[in-house]
Amino acid sequence: MKYVEEFRDPKLAENLAAVIRAEADSAREYNFMEFCGGHTHAIFRYGVQDLMPDNVHFVHGPGCPVCILPVRRLDDAIELADRHGVILCSYGDMLRVPGTKRRSLMVAKSEGADVRMVYSTLDALKIARENPDKQVVFLGIGFETTTPPSALAIKQASEEELENFTLFCNHVLTPAAIRHILDAPEIDPEEAVRLDGFLGPSHVSTVIGSQPYEFLADKYQKPVVIAGFEPLDVMQSVLMLIRQVNEGRVEVQNQYARVVTREGNERAQDLVDEIFEIRPAFEWRGLGSVPESALSIREKYAAFDAEKRFEISEKVSREVKSCECPAILRGVKKPKDCKLFGNVCTPETPMGSCMVSSEGSCAAYWTYRRAETLAEMAAERDLEPAQ
Amino acid sequence: MTPASKARFRKGERVAMSHGGGGRAMADLIRNIFAHHFANPLLDQKHDATLIARPEGRIVISTDGHVISPLFFPGGDIGSLAVHGTLNDVAMGGGKPIALSAGFIIEEGFPLDDLDRIAASMGEAARAAGMPIATGDTKVVERGKGDGVFITTTGIGVVDDAVDIGPHRIKPGQAVVLSGPIGDHGVAIMASRQNLEFGTQITSDSAALHHMVADMLAAVPDIALLRDPTRGGLSATMNELVDGADFGLIMDEAAIPVRTEVASACELLGLDPLHIANEGKLVCICDMDKVQTLLDVMAQHDEGREARCIGEVCADQPGFVRMKTAIGGMRVVDWLSGEQLPRIC
Ligand code: SF4
């Protein structure tokens, strides 16, 4: 923590901003996608965009773990709590995301379902031990960062022979999603977002290392800089990306070398590998079905798999009509392009997932740039010809 | 054994339903715990209602329910907090405190020892503040129907006719002064609730601010506004002020004091110190040319030693609180939505 202040030093920030302004070629535009919601949050919280020249743009990617869980999986979780009468545990934000007909886990809880917010998978294990006559399901979500704790919980439950603990596994994989976004233009040219590079996630990379991004440089010719979460980390990473673009270099660089290595945390990877395997395909909110982009629990640990223990019904799941979360998560639209932003959809009454977690784009725009966004929306509406 | 040194209750004794029943047990509880620790001439009137001589000026009144877990935390407990919280609300109205009332809702089975500690700390806080507890009430609820102890306090004070504090007096160009570092109370509570260790112990800032406020008003009688940024933190207080107003507020992140331990804990938990509760801080809005006078006065008090000017009232973007960020960007400072939660990833 002693590092924190030096990564927020205003003098250094000013100097970096000056170098970025000097080096960014005014004859071109730079579009960089920050995949991770943590970066989106940092960019907004510190007003990093204000220090960038006009031709450097941040495109917010699908890296918020709460935002990308599709409504169907959320409805399944609600069903587990409703129909199977389990104690359903999950991280806080997940409870507020609206499912079909805007019914969230929080609403289910207020109607009598036993839904509990926990801070870690170990809390869920504790609840299972304390309630031997009840089934406890942990709704596991998130990228490579939150997967090892879920793996550990299963391992521990198996060692203790806990018979009333299961994981509803929704853990997803970062590289597969980035690949999918880059393939999107081939799937639908209308959807093409011009991307000149990526700010690579840092927490994820502490686990998987920088190596899994190398295909982005090799195959897709996109520069990547693994970036820390402090505002100066983000700015320095932008500068590194600008330099790669200007010099025509395409590499995976590691700005966050104080924590991330090329190989990552091999012990965590081994643990994850022991418990989980790759699913053939997984549905993402916004991206649709993405091949090999998520994990499921291996047969050996099937006893701890909620999908195997409980029968989950087929159902028709629907997002709120006119919610633009899917397009926002693909980076093709901004929150201001959603009619619901700020009038019916706010963090108190979220209509879509992007408004729920502090890492979601809509919540970030609402929380940190509301004044400008509402003004832009009003201006655009005035410009529209009268019908 | 002399009667004075006789134990006031048995070791290990707990609150029973009979302690709320209006009979002898209740009378004993009140005498041995509350009257013992709160003793003062007003309470000693022993009426159902307490008579207070009419003061000069206007009366200010404020009430607050205290529901807190854990009941004892580094830097205080629910008893002293219940006194400070209400006392500070009275002070924020520009009032000099006169008297306090205290209502207790106690859960059956609550240890009398703990109740005694709480009452002792309340009595001491009230005495130190010169705000006697003039009247009170005790109820006992069945086991499982309460959370140990809930305390409701109401404070009354008197405001000089010359003092006019309120949002109607805020206008663009005025300065925002903050009395010290933010987030101490909320982080201390969170840390003790979650059993988190941060190397150094973070203690609550729970404190009575009325002495400092009295000196501030003596030096600058035309202070426009005083508020204590308690629940919801500094951001909620600032947003309340601009809500529906024809002015906005701009803060300077670099000027807002946050202790390193608090900043680190927030970093670790993914929380924003702006949203975290304080119990011994105040925000003051005054004319820009009075800032230095106020800072000098505040520096005379422990509670105001680290006071700073953290921003100003602006005419543009009315209804919004904005902040120049530590690295020089701009952003809106919003209310906290829902409950502040540690981040997932
Ligand atoms: S503003 Fe609300 S409804 Fe619109 S895209 Fe964002 S989350 Fe969805």
Side-chain angles (χ1 to χ4, degrees):
Chain A
M1 274 322 139
K2 66 182 198 291
Y3 289 120
V4 165
E5 267 148 42
E6 61 193 82
F7 291 105
R8 293 176 194 171
D9 183 318
K11 264 260 126 346
L12 284 175
E14 206 177 289
N15 293 346
L16 254 175
V19 179
I20 289 173
R21 271 195 304 275
E23 295 197 21
D25 177 354
S26 59
R28 56 164 303 156
E29 302 286 313
Y30 299 85
N31 293 300
F32 299 132
M33 177 177 270
E34 84 277 0
F35 180 87
C36 174
H39 284 137
T40 309
H41 185 72
I43 289 165
F44 281 88
R45 178 167 167 194
Y46 295 100
V48 175
Q49 183 73 69
D50 295 336
L51 300 177
M52 297 289 138
D54 290 344
N55 57 339
V56 172
H57 311 283
F58 290 109
V59 181
H60 316 301
C64 159
V66 174
C67 301
I68 53 98
L69 189 73
V71 174
R72 167 64 205 269
R73 300 289 288 188
L74 184 59
D75 287 345
D76 288 349
I78 296 174
E79 181 188 332
L80 281 171
D82 275 347
R83 186 162 77 96
H84 295 283
V86 307
I87 301 178
L88 191 101
C89 306
S90 195
Y91 298 127
D93 280 345
M94 206 58 239
L95 307 188
R96 301 198 296 125
V97 181
T100 297
K101 297 212 176 116
R102 300 202 49 217
R103 193 154 182 271
S104 63
L105 282 163
M106 201 82 110
V107 172
K109 178 176 154 88
S110 70
E111 291 170 0
D114 196 346
V115 175
R116 302 192 194 176
M117 186 189 89
V118 292
Y119 291 94
S120 77
T121 53
L122 300 181
D123 292 346
L125 280 182
K126 189 162 161 251
I127 293 175
R129 282 184 215 110
E130 287 167 359
N131 296 275
D133 52 336
K134 290 278 262 181
Q135 286 293 327
V136 174
V137 177
F138 180 76
L139 169 56
I141 59 154
F143 294 87
E144 289 85 343
T145 338
T146 49
T147 314
S150 287
L152 195 66
I154 291 188
K155 183 124 177 117
Q156 197 151 338
S158 145
E159 275 162 14
E160 289 176 33
E161 298 177 14
L162 262 186
E163 285 177 1
N164 64 332
F165 175 83
T166 49
L167 177 80
F168 182 40
C169 180
N170 294 282
H171 288 291
V172 285
L173 303 170
T174 311
I178 302 186
R179 183 194 302 270
H180 187 78
I181 288 170
L182 289 171
D183 285 339
E186 285 165 31
I187 302 164
D188 180 358
E190 290 282 296
E191 292 268 294
V193 204
R194 212 191 116 70
L195 292 176
D196 302 290
F198 286 91
L199 289 168
S202 51
H203 283 163
V204 164
S205 307
T206 56
V207 178
I208 63 171
S210 62
Q211 191 269 338
Y213 304 100
E214 288 171 4
F215 76 96
L216 280 168
D218 301 342
K219 175 161 179 261
Y220 291 90
Q221 292 295 300
K222 298 290 179 194
V224 180
V225 174
I226 312 285
F229 283 123
E230 289 302 323
L232 290 187
D233 287 326
V234 173
M235 292 178 71
Q236 195 186 18
S237 303
V238 167
L239 179 61
M240 289 163 81
L241 282 172
I242 289 174
R243 285 182 177 159
Q244 286 203 42
V245 171
N246 288 355
E247 293 163 21
R249 270 186 299 125
V250 181
E251 296 168 17
V252 174
Q253 282 181 300
N254 184 4
Q255 181 274 340
Y256 201 47
R258 62 186 190 275
V259 182
V260 172
T261 60
R262 182 170 181 272
E263 283 70 33
N265 180 341
E266 286 169 10
R267 263 184 59 206
Q269 291 165 25
D270 290 345
L271 176 67
V272 167
D273 195 45
E274 183 192 333
I275 309 284
F276 298 110
E277 62 190 356
I278 294 182
R279 285 181 199 261
F282 189 78
E283 175 88 14
W284 290 54
R285 192 183 289 226
L287 304 186
S289 175
V290 182
E292 302 192 339
S293 66
L295 299 174
S296 61
I297 299 169
R298 284 188 191 277
E299 197 49 46
K300 181 175 170 210
Y301 292 99
F304 302 97
D305 189 344
E307 288 173 73
K308 300 217 170 94
R309 172 139 345 151
F310 303 97
E311 186 207 329
I312 301 175
S313 66
E314 280 300 315
K315 54 176 81 71
V316 183
S317 291
R318 277 204 195 92
E319 293 176 33
V320 171
K321 223 173 123 213
S322 7
C323 166
E324 297 281 10
C325 284
I328 289 170
L329 287 164
R330 289 194 298 275
V332 296
K333 281 196 175 168
K334 294 219 157 150
K336 71 175 168 62
D337 303 320
C338 174
K339 291 203 290 281
L340 307 182
F341 180 87
N343 46 63
V344 285
C345 184
T346 68
E348 271 72 39
T349 54
M351 296 287 149
S353 57
C354 293
M355 195 55 104
V356 174
S357 140
S358 65
E359 297 179 3
S361 286
C362 294
Y365 273 89
W366 177 257
T367 308
Y368 297 124
R369 288 193 101 77
R370 181 153 80 242
E372 294 90 326
T373 310
L374 292 178
E376 269 176 58
M377 284 174 77
E380 280 175 22
R381 221 170 306 132
D382 281 344
L383 287 180
E384 270 174 27
Q387 299 282 314
Chain B
M1 194 190 273
T2 61
S5 67
K6 202 176 119 210
R8 287 177 286 113
F9 48 88
R10 284 193 316 279
K11 198 163 167 275
E13 192 178 343
R14 291 174 178 270
V15 171
M17 290 308 292
S18 60
H19 281 126
R24 179 180 297 275
M26 182 163 148
D28 284 348
L29 180 83
I30 292 173
R31 187 179 56 244
N32 290 334
I33 293 192
F34 299 121
H36 175 83
H37 290 298
F38 299 169
N40 65 71
L42 288 179
L43 193 63
D44 296 345
Q45 290 177 13
K46 291 189 178 155
H47 282 308
D48 277 351
T50 301
L51 303 181
I52 296 173
R54 183 173 50 206
E56 289 215 1
R58 290 158 298 158
I59 296 285
V60 54
I61 178 162
S62 178
T63 193
D64 215 348
H66 305 271
V67 179
I68 186 167
S69 161
L71 297 169
F72 301 92
F73 49 83
D77 57 73
I78 187 170
S80 52
L81 190 74
V83 172
H84 293 156
T86 296
L87 178 63
N88 288 345
D89 287 343
V90 167
M92 295 309 120
K96 295 190 190 81
I98 297 179
L100 200 64
S101 85
F104 290 80
I105 295 177
I106 313 167
E107 188 180 357
E108 179 189 15
F110 190 72
L112 281 194
D113 239 339
D114 285 351
L115 191 62
D116 193 56
R117 264 173 82 193
I118 291 168
S121 135
M122 255 183 112
E124 196 183 309
R127 253 190 312 279
M131 194 186 207
I133 298 173
T135 183
D137 180 49
T138 310
K139 294 281 179 315
V140 177
V141 294
E142 278 168 44
R143 193 186 279 273
K145 297 218 165 132
D147 197 3
V149 175
F150 301 141
I151 305 178
T152 301
T153 40
T154 300
I156 51 172
V158 57
V159 185
D160 269 5
D161 284 329
V163 170
D164 179 20
I165 288 175
H168 62 283
R169 299 222 18 248
I170 303 177
K171 47 181 195 298
Q174 287 176 327
V176 181
V177 171
L178 171 70
S179 66
I182 55 169
D184 297 7
H185 176 72
V187 170
I189 293 285
M190 246 179 279
S192 49
R193 204 183 285 164
Q194 306 284 332
N195 272 327
L196 300 177
E197 303 271 343
F198 295 115
T200 45
Q201 188 171 64
I202 298 168
T203 51
S204 166
D205 57 349
S206 179
L209 300 172
H210 61 300
H211 292 304
M212 180 168 77
V213 168
D215 287 355
M216 289 166 71
L217 281 168
V220 182
D222 65 343
I223 285 175
L225 188 101
L226 291 167
R227 276 282 163 90
D228 53 343
T230 52
R231 204 166 34 156
L234 185 61
S235 68
T237 299
M238 303 293 266
N239 274 290
E240 266 168 37
L241 294 179
V242 299
D243 196 25
D246 56 0
F247 56 83
L249 290 165
I250 294 197
M251 299 195 281
D252 180 0
E253 186 169 27
I256 300 175
V258 183
R259 288 188 210 290
T260 315
E261 309 89 277
V262 170
S264 306
C266 287
E267 206 58 42
L268 205 70
L269 298 169
L271 307 173
D272 188 337
L274 290 174
H275 291 147
I276 295 184
N278 311 280
E279 286 294 345
K281 295 294 167 341
L282 65 79
V283 169
C284 167
I285 297 185
C286 65
D287 289 344
M288 203 53 98
D289 59 358
K290 303 284 170 44
V291 168
Q292 199 49 53
T293 313
L294 275 179
L295 291 179
D296 291 345
V297 170
M298 294 168 86
Q300 309 290 316
H301 295 264
D302 282 345
E303 293 78 37
R305 254 184 246 306
E306 293 168 79
R308 305 248 197 105
C309 177
I310 58 156
E312 64 180 282
V313 182
C314 59
D316 64 327
Q317 301 211 359
F320 284 99
V321 180
R322 283 172 295 159
M323 182 160 83
K324 184 167 162 244
T325 72
I327 61 158
M330 269 297 215
R331 61 129 147 147
V332 170
V333 172
D334 204 6
W335 299 88
L336 175 64
S337 67
E339 202 186 337
Q340 181 150 254
L341 302 167
R343 76 166 147 250
I344 298 175
C345 163

